[in-house]
Amino acid sequence: IARELGDDTLVASTLSSIGNAFQAAGRSEEALEYYEQAIALVANLGPSRSHAVFLENSAVSLRTLERHAEALDHYERAATMYRTVGSTADEATAVRGAARSLKALIGVLRWQQVVFKQDHREAILELGREALGVLDARDYPQQRAAAISAILADGGTVEDNVFDGLLDRSPD
């Protein structure tokens, strides 16, 4: 009916709801297909909370599928859109999702360091900077402090942590 009425936003919401059902059933790949269709339908309609929700939903599926770089991109786009439409609480949720995706990317790089003896120290440090930059850009001092704590907890002690260089900026 929504298609017949030409209401792309309603069609996109319906597609996203179908995606939610697939995601809840643990079928993230199928969920992602529906979220991508929803995003495509509203892409030319300008920023909206609905569009941001579709981006964030797709980010959850991407993270579940361990496609962390793509998830990060979707979370960041969602956070920016939430900010544009004035939805501060939703923006904070998307920023936390972006931080989790960054942490997962860092974990993958650390695993590669151990297993393949690849030196990803600079890449890990850059991802850490990016995580803190996302939080700084949005003025989230408490989340920034929590991110530093999580990074340290995940990576070991301050003395042997790859993020030592980030600690010269004290949390607010």
Side-chain angles (χ1 to χ4, degrees), residues 47-58:
S48 70
R49 185 178 180 282
S50 296
H51 189 171
V53 168
F54 306 151
L55 285 165
E56 191 171 7
N57 287 347
S58 67

Side-chain angles (χ1 to χ4, degrees), residues 6-60:
D7 188 340
D8 286 343
T9 303
L10 183 57
V11 173
S13 292
T14 303
L15 291 168
S16 183
S17 293
I18 294 168
N20 291 344
F22 277 115
Q23 185 65 34
R27 296 168 61 180
S28 298
E29 194 71 53
E30 290 149 304
L32 185 57
E33 291 174 22
Y34 283 94
Y35 296 141
E36 288 174 348
Q37 290 178 51
I39 292 166
L41 276 174
V42 298
N44 295 325
L45 301 178
S48 70
R49 185 178 180 282
S50 296
H51 189 171
V53 168
F54 306 151
L55 285 165
E56 191 171 7
N57 287 347
S58 67
V60 170

